[in-house]
């Protein structure tokens, strides 16, 4: 406190020989001195009351040396540790994008891998105008590019491998292998990119320390494209290579019997830039007027007993209740607004298996608030548990395909058997899951989305494994 007992400032007797000018000067000097002492006192008090707890010297040293240690406000988000992203030689990722015209034997894939995996911007009359900038023509197999781009900006990324919990290998395996799948390449040629990448990464210090046990990569294609057992079978033998026996894989479809695989959602065309845009879309879906009981989006296959053909014919025969979008040929390959419009207009959507058991269409359907109808349990069971939970009956319907084939069960009658309240409950469950299976554009970094769920899960898994050993 200031000392108000100083005699000079409190004398009531006017000093002799002191001119008015000198008096004014002394008063001014006195007030400035008081102000200065008050400011110094307040600064001292504030520092004393609000100073941070002192840190041990070793931690202070780490803060200055390891600039990628999460800030205190990120502690909750990175509580399971950090991820180190390998800087692979360009031939394993960037060169594939630079030569995107060669990724497919029939047409260019440059649009599909553009814009960090989001693809070109899209437009649809079915989308509210203010949400149009959040829509893209996103390719179903662009996940490797999307995940790599997002991982480079993830708040739990570290550039210090010594402190990392997990190691991400940004190898575009689906793009590298996909170009060899549909023509007469040998097994050796189909395996060459994967073999070469493993040779490079296995020579890195983090791999040598763990044998790849804390490493992971993302598969933009289904697991079956990497599981060739014999040389004359389909696909690559990447997963069966000895160096892969401890590496975790996240991909759009997993083998339910492989403990090292985790399935992540196929990317849809909606990539909200903020939580507000996501909430707006959820409300739009919730209040949408639906005029069809169910819909089928897909094309017939030129195979005997094609189940898609059965569904399409059934839907056409029930045209007063069902809506069809015929995707024969390549009509739906790059997306069409008719698909979204059909899902938005329908209570249910039919989801047979695709080339594999799962389909990108399932997530397009759910994004529109349409309830998926599955005919193979493996299309949803033991898939996407981190994102959708382990009770698919809460948001979907299962009808055994064999009963549809032999005519003992009518799809229309089954779906009309659900009351409006039951439909509403299933749709509300779907809507509540949207933040878990939508990929944001990442422009403001605030939307916790499918990517965050995936990386959180990977870090948690590695952290828990390390804690238990």
């Amino acid at each position: 406190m200031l000392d108000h007992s100083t005699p000079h400032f409190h004398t009531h007797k006017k000093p002799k020989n002191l001119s008015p000018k000198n008096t004014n000067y002394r008063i001014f000097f006195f007030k400035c001195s008081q102000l200065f002492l008050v400011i110094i006192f307040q600064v001292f008090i504030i520092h004393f009351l609000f100073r941070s707890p002192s840190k041990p010297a070793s931690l202070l040293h780490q803060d200055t040396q390891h600039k990628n240690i999460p800030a205190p406000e990120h502690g909750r988000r990175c509580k399971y540790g950090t991820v180190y992203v390998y800087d692979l030689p360009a031939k394993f990722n960037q060169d594939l994008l630079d030569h995107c015209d060669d990724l497919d034997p029939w047409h260019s894939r440059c649009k599909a891998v553009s814009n960090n995996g989001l693809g070109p911007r899209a437009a649809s009359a079915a989308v509210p105008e203010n949400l149009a900038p959040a829509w893209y023509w996103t390719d179903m197999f662009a996940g490797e590019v999307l995940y790599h781009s997002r991982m480079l900006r993830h708040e739990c990324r570290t550039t210090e491998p010594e402190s990392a919990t997990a190691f991400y290998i940004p190898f575009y395996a689906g793009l590298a292998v996909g170009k060899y799948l549909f023509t007469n390449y040998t097994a050796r040629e189909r395996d060459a990119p994967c073999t070469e990448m493993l040779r490079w990464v296995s020579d890195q210090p983090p791999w040598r320390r763990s044998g790849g046990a804390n490493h992971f990569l993302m598969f933009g294609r289904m697991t079956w494209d990497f599981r060739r057992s014999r040389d004359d079978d389909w696909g690559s033998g990447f997963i069966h290579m000895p160096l892969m026996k401890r590496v975790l894989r996240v991909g759009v479809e997993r083998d339910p019997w492989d403990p090292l695989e985790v399935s992540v959602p196929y990317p849809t065309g909606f990539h909200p830039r903020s939580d507000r845009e996501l909430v707006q879309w959820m409300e739009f879906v919730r209040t949408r007027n639906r005029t069809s009981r169910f819909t089928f989006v897909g094309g017939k296959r030129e195979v005997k007993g094609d189940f898609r053909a059965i569904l399409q014919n059934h839907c056409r025969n029930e045209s007063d209740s069902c809506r069809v979008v015929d995707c024969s040929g390549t009509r739906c390959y790059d997306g069409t607004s008719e698909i979204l419009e059909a899902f938005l207009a329908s209570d249910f959507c039919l989801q047979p298996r695709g080339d594999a058991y799962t389909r990108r269409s399932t997530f397009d359907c759910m994004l529109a608030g349409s309830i998926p109808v599955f005919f193979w349990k493996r299309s949803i069971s033991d898939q996407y548990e981190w994102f959708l939970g382990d009770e698919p009956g809460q948001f979907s319907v299962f009808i055994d395909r064999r009963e549809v084939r032999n005519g003992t069960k009518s799809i229309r009658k089954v779906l009309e058997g659900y009351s409006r309240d039951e439909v509403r409950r299933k749709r509300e469950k779907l809507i509540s899951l949207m933040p878990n299976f939508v990929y944001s554009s990442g422009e403001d970094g605030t939307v916790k989305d499918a990517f965050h769920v995936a990386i959180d899960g990977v870090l948690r898994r590695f952290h828990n494994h390390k804690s238990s050993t």
Side-chain angles (χ1 to χ4, degrees):
M1 293 179 65
L2 289 174
D3 185 3
H4 293 288
S5 64
T6 307
H8 176 78
F9 293 113
H10 285 268
T11 179
H12 296 284
K13 185 177 180 181
K14 182 177 179 181
K16 296 180 180 180
N17 301 320
L18 194 62
S19 67
K21 181 178 179 180
N22 289 337
T23 301
N24 291 336
Y25 173 80
R26 289 174 177 270
I27 293 173
F28 173 77
F29 178 78
F30 163 70
K31 290 184 176 179
C32 288
S33 299
Q34 281 187 314
L35 180 61
F36 176 77
L37 291 173
V38 168
I39 292 173
I40 292 298
F41 177 77
Q42 289 178 339
V43 169
F44 173 79
I45 292 298
I46 290 172
H47 171 73
F48 181 82
L49 292 177
F50 297 100
R51 63 180 179 175
S52 299
S54 59
K55 293 183 179 181
S58 61
L59 291 182
L60 289 173
H61 179 69
Q62 289 178 14
D63 286 347
T64 59
Q65 293 297 315
H66 302 290
K67 300 183 185 303
N68 290 281
I69 291 177
E73 61 269 25
H74 293 162
R76 184 189 62 81
R77 287 282 301 116
C78 301
K79 66 179 180 178
Y80 294 117
T82 54
V83 181
Y84 178 80
V85 180
Y86 278 110
D87 184 14
L88 294 182
K91 59 185 173 183
F92 298 125
N93 43 48
Q94 185 59 46
D95 284 356
L96 294 167
L97 305 185
D98 292 341
H99 299 90
C100 50
D101 284 326
D102 299 329
L103 294 177
D104 190 296
W106 296 287
H107 57 271
S108 172
R109 298 276 287 155
C110 291
K111 287 185 177 179
V113 298
S114 66
N115 203 8
N116 293 325
L118 299 182
R121 289 192 178 274
S124 173
V127 175
E129 185 176 354
N130 63 320
L131 294 179
W135 283 86
Y136 298 78
W137 295 124
T138 303
D139 189 86
M140 63 185 291
F141 295 142
E144 293 158 351
V145 184
L146 190 154
Y147 268 69
H148 187 196
S149 172
R150 292 286 301 278
M151 197 68 253
L152 291 175
R153 293 174 283 134
H154 194 274
E155 62 186 347
C156 297
R157 180 195 172 196
T158 178
T159 56
E160 301 291 341
E162 294 80 9
S163 65
T165 303
F167 295 82
Y168 170 56
I169 308 171
F171 173 43
Y172 299 167
L175 300 185
V177 169
K179 63 185 296 183
Y180 299 108
L181 291 179
F182 302 98
T183 45
N184 295 321
Y185 287 96
T186 66
R188 184 185 182 92
E189 289 170 318
R190 281 176 277 161
D191 289 348
C194 305
T195 301
E196 191 173 359
M197 187 282 295
L198 286 174
R199 186 181 302 119
W200 182 90
V201 76
S202 63
D203 195 41
Q204 306 307 305
W207 180 288
R208 292 201 303 267
R209 287 194 297 268
S210 69
N214 51 6
H215 288 56
F216 74 102
L217 47 75
M218 196 277 171
F219 284 164
R221 301 185 67 92
M222 294 80 69
T223 182
W224 316 108
D225 291 336
F226 307 97
R227 288 187 169 276
R228 191 193 69 247
S229 298
R230 299 176 301 178
D231 285 356
D232 56 349
D233 286 345
W234 167 267
S236 164
F238 188 24
I239 289 175
H240 296 307
M241 294 179 182
L243 288 173
M244 285 291 289
K245 64 182 180 181
R246 303 180 72 185
V247 178
L248 182 69
R249 289 93 59 187
V250 297
V252 292
E253 179 176 336
R254 69 178 291 259
D255 177 356
W257 294 279
D258 189 335
L260 284 175
E261 288 195 344
V262 176
S263 50
V264 301
Y266 285 87
T268 68
F270 181 51
H271 304 282
R273 298 165 296 176
S274 65
D275 287 323
R276 190 168 71 91
E277 284 192 342
L278 178 57
V279 171
Q280 286 177 341
W281 178 256
M282 293 163 70
E283 185 59 24
F284 172 74
V285 164
R286 178 181 288 111
T287 58
R288 183 75 175 179
N289 181 37
R290 300 176 188 268
T291 57
S292 299
R293 191 62 170 174
F294 61 111
T295 190
F296 174 68
V297 175
K300 298 179 180 180
R301 302 292 179 90
E302 298 300 323
V303 294
K304 184 178 180 181
D306 177 37
F307 191 69
R308 293 189 183 201
I310 293 174
L311 294 182
Q312 192 176 107
N313 292 335
H314 179 83
C315 204
R316 293 192 189 282
N317 292 336
E318 306 287 356
S319 57
D320 56 331
S321 294
C322 187
R323 183 169 177 168
V324 177
V325 179
D326 188 350
C327 289
S328 299
T330 60
R331 178 168 173 263
C332 300
Y333 184 81
D334 290 325
T336 170
S337 58
E338 190 178 355
I339 295 174
L340 178 60
E341 291 166 4
F343 287 147
L344 285 169
S346 305
D347 284 326
F348 298 90
C349 58
L350 308 185
Q351 295 295 330
R353 63 167 293 173
D355 293 326
Y357 284 98
T358 62
R359 299 177 78 198
R360 145 77 178 265
S361 178
T362 297
F363 291 94
D364 290 333
C365 155
M366 295 194 298
L367 179 65
S370 190
I371 300 163
V373 180
F374 298 110
F375 302 91
W376 279 262
K377 286 189 178 295
R378 285 181 61 182
S379 293
I380 192 63
S381 296
D382 298 316
Q383 300 282 352
Y384 316 114
E385 295 99 331
W386 288 0
F387 309 85
L388 305 178
D390 57 1
E391 297 184 43
Q394 293 184 352
F395 60 84
S396 67
V397 171
F398 175 75
I399 302 176
D400 194 311
R401 64 192 178 283
R402 291 165 292 194
E403 295 178 309
V404 175
R405 282 187 182 277
N406 62 26
T408 60
K409 187 162 286 187
S410 162
I411 295 173
R412 176 175 180 170
K413 288 183 179 179
V414 170
L415 299 182
E416 287 182 344
Y418 287 92
S419 68
R420 298 312 304 174
D421 281 344
E422 289 175 310
V423 171
R424 180 186 56 78
R425 284 196 295 271
K426 287 182 181 291
R427 180 169 296 119
E428 282 300 321
K429 181 62 177 179
L430 270 184
I431 292 172
S432 72
L433 293 171
M434 281 185 189
N436 290 348
F437 66 77
V438 164
Y439 292 96
S440 77
S441 65
E443 291 182 12
D444 65 3
T446 61
V447 182
K448 184 173 182 182
D449 61 353
F451 173 77
H452 285 117
V453 175
I455 302 306
D456 285 354
V458 169
L459 284 168
R460 181 174 60 250
R461 176 167 171 156
F462 285 147
H463 173 83
N464 290 344
H465 176 73
K466 184 178 181 179
S467 300
S468 65
T469 55

